[in-house]
PDB file of all heavy atoms in Angstrom:
ATOM      1  N   ALA A   1      88.540 107.744  88.106  1.00 97.00           N
ATOM      2  CA  ALA A   1      88.560 108.863  87.161  1.00 97.00           C
ATOM      3  C   ALA A   1      87.166 109.119  86.595  1.00 97.00           C
ATOM      4  O   ALA A   1      86.746 110.281  86.461  1.00 97.00           O
ATOM      5  CB  ALA A   1      89.557 108.584  86.040  1.00 97.00           C
ATOM      6  N   GLU A   2      86.444 108.058  86.276  1.00 97.00           N
ATOM      7  CA  GLU A   2      85.074 108.222  85.772  1.00 97.00           C
ATOM      8  C   GLU A   2      84.180 108.865  86.831  1.00 97.00           C
ATOM      9  O   GLU A   2      83.316 109.682  86.519  1.00 97.00           O
ATOM     10  CB  GLU A   2      84.511 106.871  85.329  1.00 97.00           C
ATOM     11  CG  GLU A   2      85.151 106.352  84.058  1.00 97.00           C
ATOM     12  CD  GLU A   2      84.817 104.903  83.748  1.00 97.00           C
ATOM     13  OE1 GLU A   2      84.265 104.185  84.642  1.00 97.00           O
ATOM     14  OE2 GLU A   2      85.131 104.461  82.631  1.00 97.00           O
ATOM     15  N   GLY A   3      84.413 108.509  88.094  1.00 95.00           N
ATOM     16  CA  GLY A   3      83.661 109.119  89.186  1.00 95.00           C
ATOM     17  C   GLY A   3      83.922 110.615  89.280  1.00 95.00           C
ATOM     18  O   GLY A   3      83.004 111.401  89.531  1.00 95.00           O
ATOM     19  N   ILE A   4      85.163 111.015  89.074  1.00 95.00           N
ATOM     20  CA  ILE A   4      85.491 112.445  89.088  1.00 95.00           C
ATOM     21  C   ILE A   4      84.788 113.149  87.937  1.00 95.00           C
ATOM     22  O   ILE A   4      84.209 114.224  88.111  1.00 95.00           O
ATOM     23  CB  ILE A   4      87.024 112.662  89.004  1.00 95.00           C
ATOM     24  CG1 ILE A   4      87.698 112.132  90.261  1.00 95.00           C
ATOM     25  CG2 ILE A   4      87.348 114.142  88.799  1.00 95.00           C
ATOM     26  CD1 ILE A   4      89.211 112.101  90.187  1.00 95.00           C
ATOM     27  N   GLN A   5      84.819 112.528  86.769  1.00 94.00           N
ATOM     28  CA  GLN A   5      84.159 113.139  85.617  1.00 94.00           C
ATOM     29  C   GLN A   5      82.652 113.259  85.844  1.00 94.00           C
ATOM     30  O   GLN A   5      82.046 114.281  85.520  1.00 94.00           O
ATOM     31  CB  GLN A   5      84.450 112.336  84.352  1.00 94.00           C
ATOM     32  CG  GLN A   5      83.998 113.050  83.092  1.00 94.00           C
ATOM     33  CD  GLN A   5      84.472 112.355  81.854  1.00 94.00           C
ATOM     34  OE1 GLN A   5      84.374 111.137  81.743  1.00 94.00           O
ATOM     35  NE2 GLN A   5      85.010 113.124  80.914  1.00 94.00           N
ATOM     36  N   GLU A   6      82.043 112.234  86.416  1.00 94.00           N
ATOM     37  CA  GLU A   6      80.599 112.256  86.693  1.00 94.00           C
ATOM     38  C   GLU A   6      80.241 113.326  87.720  1.00 94.00           C
ATOM     39  O   GLU A   6      79.120 113.854  87.705  1.00 94.00           O
ATOM     40  CB  GLU A   6      80.136 110.880  87.178  1.00 94.00           C
ATOM     41  CG  GLU A   6      80.144 109.825  86.097  1.00 94.00           C
ATOM     42  CD  GLU A   6      79.984 108.412  86.645  1.00 94.00           C
ATOM     43  OE1 GLU A   6      79.667 108.251  87.847  1.00 94.00           O
ATOM     44  OE2 GLU A   6      80.216 107.467  85.867  1.00 94.00           O
ATOM     45  N   LEU A   7      81.179 113.635  88.616  1.00 91.00           N
ATOM     46  CA  LEU A   7      80.941 114.688  89.612  1.00 91.00           C
ATOM     47  C   LEU A   7      80.645 116.019  88.952  1.00 91.00           C
ATOM     48  O   LEU A   7      79.848 116.803  89.455  1.00 91.00           O
ATOM     49  CB  LEU A   7      82.184 114.870  90.486  1.00 91.00           C
ATOM     50  CG  LEU A   7      82.269 114.151  91.797  1.00 91.00           C
ATOM     51  CD1 LEU A   7      83.601 114.451  92.460  1.00 91.00           C
ATOM     52  CD2 LEU A   7      81.136 114.500  92.711  1.00 91.00           C
ATOM     53  N   ASN A   8      81.340 116.266  87.847  1.00 89.00           N
ATOM     54  CA  ASN A   8      81.190 117.535  87.131  1.00 89.00           C
ATOM     55  C   ASN A   8      81.337 118.706  88.100  1.00 89.00           C
ATOM     56  O   ASN A   8      80.536 119.637  88.102  1.00 89.00           O
ATOM     57  CB  ASN A   8      79.854 117.576  86.384  1.00 89.00           C
ATOM     58  CG  ASN A   8      79.866 118.601  85.290  1.00 89.00           C
ATOM     59  OD1 ASN A   8      80.917 118.961  84.767  1.00 89.00           O
ATOM     60  ND2 ASN A   8      78.700 119.104  84.962  1.00 89.00           N
ATOM     61  N   SER A   9      82.356 118.628  88.937  1.00 89.00           N
ATOM     62  CA  SER A   9      82.581 119.621  89.976  1.00 89.00           C
ATOM     63  C   SER A   9      83.494 120.734  89.475  1.00 89.00           C
ATOM     64  O   SER A   9      84.447 120.467  88.736  1.00 89.00           O
ATOM     65  CB  SER A   9      83.231 118.938  91.190  1.00 89.00           C
ATOM     66  OG  SER A   9      83.672 119.893  92.118  1.00 89.00           O
ATOM     67  N   PRO A  10      83.259 121.955  89.905  1.00 89.00           N
ATOM     68  CA  PRO A  10      84.191 123.031  89.556  1.00 89.00           C
ATOM     69  C   PRO A  10      85.516 122.916  90.323  1.00 89.00           C
ATOM     70  O   PRO A  10      86.494 123.551  89.954  1.00 89.00           O
ATOM     71  CB  PRO A  10      83.441 124.299  89.945  1.00 89.00           C
ATOM     72  CG  PRO A  10      82.478 123.871  90.994  1.00 89.00           C
ATOM     73  CD  PRO A  10      82.110 122.447  90.667  1.00 89.00           C
ATOM     74  N   VAL A  11      85.552 122.101  91.360  1.00 89.00           N
ATOM     75  CA  VAL A  11      86.750 121.969  92.183  1.00 89.00           C
ATOM     76  C   VAL A  11      87.835 121.151  91.481  1.00 89.00           C
ATOM     77  O   VAL A  11      89.009 121.518  91.498  1.00 89.00           O
ATOM     78  CB  VAL A  11      86.411 121.340  93.556  1.00 89.00           C
ATOM     79  CG1 VAL A  11      87.664 121.047  94.364  1.00 89.00           C
ATOM     80  CG2 VAL A  11      85.470 122.241  94.333  1.00 89.00           C
ATOM     81  N   CYS A  12      87.447 120.039  90.846  1.00 92.00           N
ATOM     82  CA  CYS A  12      88.442 119.175  90.227  1.00 92.00           C
ATOM     83  C   CYS A  12      87.888 118.496  88.986  1.00 92.00           C
ATOM     84  O   CYS A  12      86.674 118.362  88.831  1.00 92.00           O
ATOM     85  CB  CYS A  12      88.957 118.143  91.216  1.00 92.00           C
ATOM     86  SG  CYS A  12      87.685 117.077  91.895  1.00 92.00           S
ATOM     87  N   SER A  13      88.811 118.063  88.132  1.00 94.00           N
ATOM     88  CA  SER A  13      88.424 117.368  86.901  1.00 94.00           C
ATOM     89  C   SER A  13      89.536 116.396  86.523  1.00 94.00           C
ATOM     90  O   SER A  13      90.611 116.394  87.118  1.00 94.00           O
ATOM     91  CB  SER A  13      88.194 118.380  85.772  1.00 94.00           C
ATOM     92  OG  SER A  13      89.390 119.092  85.509  1.00 94.00           O
ATOM     93  N   VAL A  14      89.251 115.593  85.509  1.00 96.00           N
ATOM     94  CA  VAL A  14      90.230 114.610  85.053  1.00 96.00           C
ATOM     95  C   VAL A  14      90.095 114.450  83.546  1.00 96.00           C
ATOM     96  O   VAL A  14      89.002 114.591  82.996  1.00 96.00           O
ATOM     97  CB  VAL A  14      90.026 113.259  85.791  1.00 96.00           C
ATOM     98  CG1 VAL A  14      88.735 112.595  85.400  1.00 96.00           C
ATOM     99  CG2 VAL A  14      91.187 112.332  85.567  1.00 96.00           C
ATOM    100  N   ASN A  15      91.213 114.175  82.900  1.00 96.00           N
ATOM    101  CA  ASN A  15      91.224 113.865  81.477  1.00 96.00           C
ATOM    102  C   ASN A  15      91.185 112.345  81.353  1.00 96.00           C
ATOM    103  O   ASN A  15      92.212 111.681  81.524  1.00 96.00           O
ATOM    104  CB  ASN A  15      92.482 114.451  80.824  1.00 96.00           C
ATOM    105  CG  ASN A  15      92.614 114.061  79.369  1.00 96.00           C
ATOM    106  OD1 ASN A  15      91.786 113.369  78.802  1.00 96.00           O
ATOM    107  ND2 ASN A  15      93.705 114.505  78.755  1.00 96.00           N
ATOM    108  N   LEU A  16      90.013 111.796  81.056  1.00 96.00           N
ATOM    109  CA  LEU A  16      89.860 110.338  80.998  1.00 96.00           C
ATOM    110  C   LEU A  16      90.779 109.701  79.962  1.00 96.00           C
ATOM    111  O   LEU A  16      91.258 108.582  80.168  1.00 96.00           O
ATOM    112  CB  LEU A  16      88.414 109.967  80.683  1.00 96.00           C
ATOM    113  CG  LEU A  16      87.495 109.745  81.866  1.00 96.00           C
ATOM    114  CD1 LEU A  16      86.099 109.368  81.405  1.00 96.00           C
ATOM    115  CD2 LEU A  16      88.025 108.713  82.818  1.00 96.00           C
ATOM    116  N   ALA A  17      91.035 110.372  78.871  1.00 95.00           N
ATOM    117  CA  ALA A  17      91.898 109.814  77.825  1.00 95.00           C
ATOM    118  C   ALA A  17      93.315 109.592  78.332  1.00 95.00           C
ATOM    119  O   ALA A  17      94.045 108.748  77.805  1.00 95.00           O
ATOM    120  CB  ALA A  17      91.908 110.734  76.606  1.00 95.00           C
ATOM    121  N   ALA A  18      93.716 110.322  79.349  1.00 95.00           N
ATOM    122  CA  ALA A  18      95.074 110.200  79.892  1.00 95.00           C
ATOM    123  C   ALA A  18      95.194 109.092  80.942  1.00 95.00           C
ATOM    124  O   ALA A  18      96.299 108.792  81.393  1.00 95.00           O
ATOM    125  CB  ALA A  18      95.513 111.530  80.503  1.00 95.00           C
ATOM    126  N   VAL A  19      94.079 108.481  81.331  1.00 96.00           N
ATOM    127  CA  VAL A  19      94.116 107.406  82.345  1.00 96.00           C
ATOM    128  C   VAL A  19      94.302 106.081  81.615  1.00 96.00           C
ATOM    129  O   VAL A  19      93.355 105.470  81.147  1.00 96.00           O
ATOM    130  CB  VAL A  19      92.831 107.397  83.199  1.00 96.00           C
ATOM    131  CG1 VAL A  19      92.896 106.291  84.239  1.00 96.00           C
ATOM    132  CG2 VAL A  19      92.621 108.745  83.851  1.00 96.00           C
ATOM    133  N   GLU A  20      95.566 105.665  81.527  1.00 96.00           N
ATOM    134  CA  GLU A  20      95.901 104.448  80.787  1.00 96.00           C
ATOM    135  C   GLU A  20      96.340 103.308  81.691  1.00 96.00           C
ATOM    136  O   GLU A  20      96.286 102.151  81.296  1.00 96.00           O
ATOM    137  CB  GLU A  20      97.025 104.740  79.799  1.00 96.00           C
ATOM    138  CG  GLU A  20      96.640 105.769  78.756  1.00 96.00           C
ATOM    139  CD  GLU A  20      97.783 106.105  77.832  1.00 96.00           C
ATOM    140  OE1 GLU A  20      98.853 106.508  78.338  1.00 96.00           O
ATOM    141  OE2 GLU A  20      97.589 105.950  76.618  1.00 96.00           O
ATOM    142  N   THR A  21      96.810 103.641  82.888  1.00 96.00           N
ATOM    143  CA  THR A  21      97.317 102.606  83.789  1.00 96.00           C
ATOM    144  C   THR A  21      96.702 102.802  85.167  1.00 96.00           C
ATOM    145  O   THR A  21      95.517 103.045  85.294  1.00 96.00           O
ATOM    146  CB  THR A  21      98.860 102.658  83.867  1.00 96.00           C
ATOM    147  OG1 THR A  21      99.262 103.920  84.402  1.00 96.00           O
ATOM    148  CG2 THR A  21      99.501 102.435  82.509  1.00 96.00           C
ATOM    149  N   ASN A  22      97.530 102.717  86.199  1.00 96.00           N
ATOM    150  CA  ASN A  22      97.082 102.812  87.580  1.00 96.00           C
ATOM    151  C   ASN A  22      97.261 104.216  88.150  1.00 96.00           C
ATOM    152  O   ASN A  22      97.167 104.394  89.351  1.00 96.00           O
ATOM    153  CB  ASN A  22      97.862 101.808  88.440  1.00 96.00           C
ATOM    154  CG  ASN A  22      99.353 102.109  88.466  1.00 96.00           C
ATOM    155  OD1 ASN A  22      99.933 102.549  87.478  1.00 96.00           O
ATOM    156  ND2 ASN A  22      99.978 101.853  89.592  1.00 96.00           N
ATOM    157  N   ILE A  23      97.514 105.198  87.306  1.00 97.00           N
ATOM    158  CA  ILE A  23      97.760 106.564  87.759  1.00 97.00           C
ATOM    159  C   ILE A  23      96.664 107.482  87.244  1.00 97.00           C
ATOM    160  O   ILE A  23      96.335 107.458  86.061  1.00 97.00           O
ATOM    161  CB  ILE A  23      99.134 107.068  87.277  1.00 97.00           C
ATOM    162  CG1 ILE A  23     100.249 106.173  87.839  1.00 97.00           C
ATOM    163  CG2 ILE A  23      99.352 108.519  87.670  1.00 97.00           C
ATOM    164  CD1 ILE A  23     101.629 106.485  87.296  1.00 97.00           C
ATOM    165  N   VAL A  24      96.108 108.292  88.159  1.00 97.00           N
ATOM    166  CA  VAL A  24      95.113 109.298  87.794  1.00 97.00           C
ATOM    167  C   VAL A  24      95.650 110.656  88.223  1.00 97.00           C
ATOM    168  O   VAL A  24      95.974 110.862  89.391  1.00 97.00           O
ATOM    169  CB  VAL A  24      93.747 109.033  88.481  1.00 97.00           C
ATOM    170  CG1 VAL A  24      92.751 110.134  88.151  1.00 97.00           C
ATOM    171  CG2 VAL A  24      93.205 107.665  88.072  1.00 97.00           C
ATOM    172  N   MET A  25      95.742 111.560  87.257  1.00 97.00           N
ATOM    173  CA  MET A  25      96.162 112.927  87.528  1.00 97.00           C
ATOM    174  C   MET A  25      94.885 113.772  87.604  1.00 97.00           C
ATOM    175  O   MET A  25      94.165 113.895  86.618  1.00 97.00           O
ATOM    176  CB  MET A  25      97.088 113.441  86.429  1.00 97.00           C
ATOM    177  CG  MET A  25      98.342 112.584  86.249  1.00 97.00           C
ATOM    178  SD  MET A  25      99.340 112.388  87.725  1.00 97.00           S
ATOM    179  CE  MET A  25     100.271 113.884  87.698  1.00 97.00           C
ATOM    180  N   VAL A  26      94.632 114.332  88.776  1.00 96.00           N
ATOM    181  CA  VAL A  26      93.416 115.117  89.017  1.00 96.00           C
ATOM    182  C   VAL A  26      93.776 116.596  88.921  1.00 96.00           C
ATOM    183  O   VAL A  26      94.635 117.077  89.657  1.00 96.00           O
ATOM    184  CB  VAL A  26      92.835 114.800  90.411  1.00 96.00           C
ATOM    185  CG1 VAL A  26      91.553 115.595  90.653  1.00 96.00           C
ATOM    186  CG2 VAL A  26      92.581 113.303  90.563  1.00 96.00           C
ATOM    187  N   SER A  27      93.117 117.304  88.020  1.00 95.00           N
ATOM    188  CA  SER A  27      93.323 118.747  87.888  1.00 95.00           C
ATOM    189  C   SER A  27      92.486 119.457  88.932  1.00 95.00           C
ATOM    190  O   SER A  27      91.309 119.141  89.117  1.00 95.00           O
ATOM    191  CB  SER A  27      92.916 119.223  86.495  1.00 95.00           C
ATOM    192  OG  SER A  27      93.728 118.610  85.525  1.00 95.00           O
ATOM    193  N   VAL A  28      93.097 120.426  89.605  1.00 93.00           N
ATOM    194  CA  VAL A  28      92.424 121.158  90.684  1.00 93.00           C
ATOM    195  C   VAL A  28      92.332 122.623  90.282  1.00 93.00           C
ATOM    196  O   VAL A  28      93.312 123.212  89.837  1.00 93.00           O
ATOM    197  CB  VAL A  28      93.210 121.025  92.011  1.00 93.00           C
ATOM    198  CG1 VAL A  28      92.514 121.756  93.134  1.00 93.00           C
ATOM    199  CG2 VAL A  28      93.404 119.559  92.366  1.00 93.00           C
ATOM    200  N   ARG A  29      91.147 123.195  90.436  1.00 89.00           N
ATOM    201  CA  ARG A  29      90.989 124.633  90.167  1.00 89.00           C
ATOM    202  C   ARG A  29      91.618 125.386  91.319  1.00 89.00           C
ATOM    203  O   ARG A  29      91.038 125.527  92.390  1.00 89.00           O
ATOM    204  CB  ARG A  29      89.513 125.011  90.049  1.00 89.00           C
ATOM    205  CG  ARG A  29      88.920 124.677  88.732  1.00 89.00           C
ATOM    206  CD  ARG A  29      88.266 125.788  87.946  1.00 89.00           C
ATOM    207  NE  ARG A  29      88.039 127.067  88.544  1.00 89.00           N
ATOM    208  CZ  ARG A  29      86.843 127.621  88.711  1.00 89.00           C
ATOM    209  NH1 ARG A  29      85.755 126.980  88.342  1.00 89.00           N
ATOM    210  NH2 ARG A  29      86.725 128.823  89.226  1.00 89.00           N
ATOM    211  N   ARG A  30      92.815 125.851  91.102  1.00 77.00           N
ATOM    212  CA  ARG A  30      93.622 126.472  92.147  1.00 77.00           C
ATOM    213  C   ARG A  30      92.966 127.699  92.764  1.00 77.00           C
ATOM    214  O   ARG A  30      93.186 127.997  93.927  1.00 77.00           O
ATOM    215  CB  ARG A  30      94.992 126.823  91.576  1.00 77.00           C
ATOM    216  CG  ARG A  30      95.993 127.167  92.626  1.00 77.00           C
ATOM    217  CD  ARG A  30      97.389 127.153  92.055  1.00 77.00           C
ATOM    218  NE  ARG A  30      98.297 127.961  92.831  1.00 77.00           N
ATOM    219  CZ  ARG A  30      98.809 127.616  93.989  1.00 77.00           C
ATOM    220  NH1 ARG A  30      98.479 126.475  94.536  1.00 77.00           N
ATOM    221  NH2 ARG A  30      99.639 128.404  94.630  1.00 77.00           N
ATOM    222  N   ASP A  31      92.126 128.387  91.998  1.00 80.00           N
ATOM    223  CA  ASP A  31      91.452 129.557  92.565  1.00 80.00           C
ATOM    224  C   ASP A  31      90.399 129.146  93.595  1.00 80.00           C
ATOM    225  O   ASP A  31      89.974 129.956  94.411  1.00 80.00           O
ATOM    226  CB  ASP A  31      90.829 130.418  91.468  1.00 80.00           C
ATOM    227  CG  ASP A  31      89.818 129.664  90.624  1.00 80.00           C
ATOM    228  OD1 ASP A  31      90.064 128.480  90.316  1.00 80.00           O
ATOM    229  OD2 ASP A  31      88.787 130.253  90.274  1.00 80.00           O
ATOM    230  N   LEU A  32      90.000 127.875  93.570  1.00 81.00           N
ATOM    231  CA  LEU A  32      89.040 127.369  94.553  1.00 81.00           C
ATOM    232  C   LEU A  32      89.727 126.616  95.688  1.00 81.00           C
ATOM    233  O   LEU A  32      89.316 126.703  96.846  1.00 81.00           O
ATOM    234  CB  LEU A  32      88.034 126.434  93.875  1.00 81.00           C
ATOM    235  CG  LEU A  32      87.123 127.062  92.828  1.00 81.00           C
ATOM    236  CD1 LEU A  32      86.246 125.986  92.190  1.00 81.00           C
ATOM    237  CD2 LEU A  32      86.266 128.159  93.445  1.00 81.00           C
ATOM    238  N   LEU A  33      90.773 125.856  95.346  1.00 86.00           N
ATOM    239  CA  LEU A  33      91.422 124.972  96.310  1.00 86.00           C
ATOM    240  C   LEU A  33      92.788 124.582  95.741  1.00 86.00           C
ATOM    241  O   LEU A  33      92.889 124.258  94.565  1.00 86.00           O
ATOM    242  CB  LEU A  33      90.542 123.722  96.477  1.00 86.00           C
ATOM    243  CG  LEU A  33      90.847 122.686  97.510  1.00 86.00           C
ATOM    244  CD1 LEU A  33      90.596 123.237  98.906  1.00 86.00           C
ATOM    245  CD2 LEU A  33      89.953 121.470  97.300  1.00 86.00           C
ATOM    246  N   SER A  34      93.808 124.609  96.553  1.00 90.00           N
ATOM    247  CA  SER A  34      95.125 124.192  96.059  1.00 90.00           C
ATOM    248  C   SER A  34      95.237 122.667  96.134  1.00 90.00           C
ATOM    249  O   SER A  34      94.524 122.028  96.910  1.00 90.00           O
ATOM    250  CB  SER A  34      96.233 124.835  96.895  1.00 90.00           C
ATOM    251  OG  SER A  34      96.357 124.172  98.141  1.00 90.00           O
ATOM    252  N   PRO A  35      96.141 122.076  95.346  1.00 93.00           N
ATOM    253  CA  PRO A  35      96.351 120.629  95.446  1.00 93.00           C
ATOM    254  C   PRO A  35      96.725 120.186  96.868  1.00 93.00           C
ATOM    255  O   PRO A  35      96.248 119.155  97.333  1.00 93.00           O
ATOM    256  CB  PRO A  35      97.497 120.374  94.458  1.00 93.00           C
ATOM    257  CG  PRO A  35      97.307 121.436  93.427  1.00 93.00           C
ATOM    258  CD  PRO A  35      96.877 122.649  94.209  1.00 93.00           C
ATOM    259  N   VAL A  36      97.540 120.983  97.554  1.00 94.00           N
ATOM    260  CA  VAL A  36      97.912 120.633  98.932  1.00 94.00           C
ATOM    261  C   VAL A  36      96.671 120.623  99.821  1.00 94.00           C
ATOM    262  O   VAL A  36      96.476 119.703 100.632  1.00 94.00           O
ATOM    263  CB  VAL A  36      98.978 121.613  99.475  1.00 94.00           C
ATOM    264  CG1 VAL A  36      99.192 121.407 100.971  1.00 94.00           C
ATOM    265  CG2 VAL A  36     100.289 121.441  98.724  1.00 94.00           C
ATOM    266  N   GLU A  37      95.815 121.634  99.679  1.00 92.00           N
ATOM    267  CA  GLU A  37      94.585 121.682 100.488  1.00 92.00           C
ATOM    268  C   GLU A  37      93.670 120.501 100.174  1.00 92.00           C
ATOM    269  O   GLU A  37      93.092 119.904 101.084  1.00 92.00           O
ATOM    270  CB  GLU A  37      93.840 122.997 100.236  1.00 92.00           C
ATOM    271  CG  GLU A  37      94.529 124.215 100.802  1.00 92.00           C
ATOM    272  CD  GLU A  37      93.875 125.506 100.358  1.00 92.00           C
ATOM    273  OE1 GLU A  37      93.514 125.629  99.163  1.00 92.00           O
ATOM    274  OE2 GLU A  37      93.718 126.398 101.214  1.00 92.00           O
ATOM    275  N   LEU A  38      93.532 120.164  98.885  1.00 92.00           N
ATOM    276  CA  LEU A  38      92.689 119.029  98.526  1.00 92.00           C
ATOM    277  C   LEU A  38      93.228 117.755  99.170  1.00 92.00           C
ATOM    278  O   LEU A  38      92.469 116.973  99.748  1.00 92.00           O
ATOM    279  CB  LEU A  38      92.605 118.861  97.008  1.00 92.00           C
ATOM    280  CG  LEU A  38      91.769 117.677  96.523  1.00 92.00           C
ATOM    281  CD1 LEU A  38      90.332 117.748  97.042  1.00 92.00           C
ATOM    282  CD2 LEU A  38      91.800 117.578  95.008  1.00 92.00           C
ATOM    283  N   CYS A  39      94.543 117.551  99.108  1.00 94.00           N
ATOM    284  CA  CYS A  39      95.157 116.365  99.727  1.00 94.00           C
ATOM    285  C   CYS A  39      94.887 116.329 101.228  1.00 94.00           C
ATOM    286  O   CYS A  39      94.578 115.276 101.789  1.00 94.00           O
ATOM    287  CB  CYS A  39      96.654 116.336  99.457  1.00 94.00           C
ATOM    288  SG  CYS A  39      97.064 116.026  97.726  1.00 94.00           S
ATOM    289  N   GLU A  40      94.995 117.488 101.886  1.00 95.00           N
ATOM    290  CA  GLU A  40      94.744 117.555 103.331  1.00 95.00           C
ATOM    291  C   GLU A  40      93.291 117.222 103.652  1.00 95.00           C
ATOM    292  O   GLU A  40      93.012 116.489 104.603  1.00 95.00           O
ATOM    293  CB  GLU A  40      95.097 118.946 103.850  1.00 95.00           C
ATOM    294  CG  GLU A  40      96.588 119.202 103.894  1.00 95.00           C
ATOM    295  CD  GLU A  40      96.950 120.667 104.184  1.00 95.00           C
ATOM    296  OE1 GLU A  40      96.031 121.526 104.291  1.00 95.00           O
ATOM    297  OE2 GLU A  40      98.162 120.944 104.284  1.00 95.00           O
ATOM    298  N   HIS A  41      92.347 117.744 102.857  1.00 93.00           N
ATOM    299  CA  HIS A  41      90.924 117.462 103.095  1.00 93.00           C
ATOM    300  C   HIS A  41      90.596 115.992 102.838  1.00 93.00           C
ATOM    301  O   HIS A  41      89.751 115.415 103.537  1.00 93.00           O
ATOM    302  CB  HIS A  41      90.044 118.351 102.228  1.00 93.00           C
ATOM    303  CG  HIS A  41      90.004 119.775 102.667  1.00 93.00           C
ATOM    304  ND1 HIS A  41      89.486 120.185 103.877  1.00 93.00           N
ATOM    305  CD2 HIS A  41      90.440 120.904 102.048  1.00 93.00           C
ATOM    306  CE1 HIS A  41      89.587 121.492 103.993  1.00 93.00           C
ATOM    307  NE2 HIS A  41      90.178 121.962 102.892  1.00 93.00           N
ATOM    308  N   LEU A  42      91.238 115.398 101.845  1.00 93.00           N
ATOM    309  CA  LEU A  42      90.994 113.982 101.563  1.00 93.00           C
ATOM    310  C   LEU A  42      91.570 113.079 102.644  1.00 93.00           C
ATOM    311  O   LEU A  42      91.014 112.031 102.944  1.00 93.00           O
ATOM    312  CB  LEU A  42      91.573 113.598 100.196  1.00 93.00           C
ATOM    313  CG  LEU A  42      90.826 114.149  98.986  1.00 93.00           C
ATOM    314  CD1 LEU A  42      91.621 113.912  97.709  1.00 93.00           C
ATOM    315  CD2 LEU A  42      89.435 113.543  98.882  1.00 93.00           C
ATOM    316  N   ARG A  43      92.679 113.501 103.235  1.00 95.00           N
ATOM    317  CA  ARG A  43      93.313 112.708 104.297  1.00 95.00           C
ATOM    318  C   ARG A  43      92.570 112.834 105.631  1.00 95.00           C
ATOM    319  O   ARG A  43      92.418 111.865 106.369  1.00 95.00           O
ATOM    320  CB  ARG A  43      94.769 113.130 104.465  1.00 95.00           C
ATOM    321  CG  ARG A  43      95.518 112.252 105.454  1.00 95.00           C
ATOM    322  CD  ARG A  43      96.956 112.678 105.670  1.00 95.00           C
ATOM    323  NE  ARG A  43      96.992 114.035 106.213  1.00 95.00           N
ATOM    324  CZ  ARG A  43      97.654 115.046 105.668  1.00 95.00           C
ATOM    325  NH1 ARG A  43      98.336 114.889 104.573  1.00 95.00           N
ATOM    326  NH2 ARG A  43      97.629 116.233 106.222  1.00 95.00           N
TER     327      ARG A  43
END
């Protein structure tokens, strides 16, 4: 999550305060890339 925040990318972001356990919810700017597309590119 800290790595995502350091990226400071317009594509995705994260709320560090919400990362309390082993789960990270990554917000995706849908006008740039959908969550499904991001998952496909990461895979």
Side-chain angles (χ1 to χ4, degrees):
E2 289 168 348
I4 294 171
Q5 190 171 45
E6 290 167 11
L7 265 178
N8 200 25
S9 170
V11 173
C12 59
S13 61
V14 68
N15 175 1
L16 269 181
V19 180
E20 298 177 304
T21 62
N22 63 324
I23 300 173
V24 177
M25 302 303 278
V26 181
S27 297
V28 181
R29 281 236 350 241
R30 193 165 157 76
D31 59 321
L32 296 176
L33 187 69
S34 77
V36 170
E37 290 171 318
L38 179 58
C39 291
E40 288 170 357
H41 287 296
L42 288 170
R43 186 182 61 236

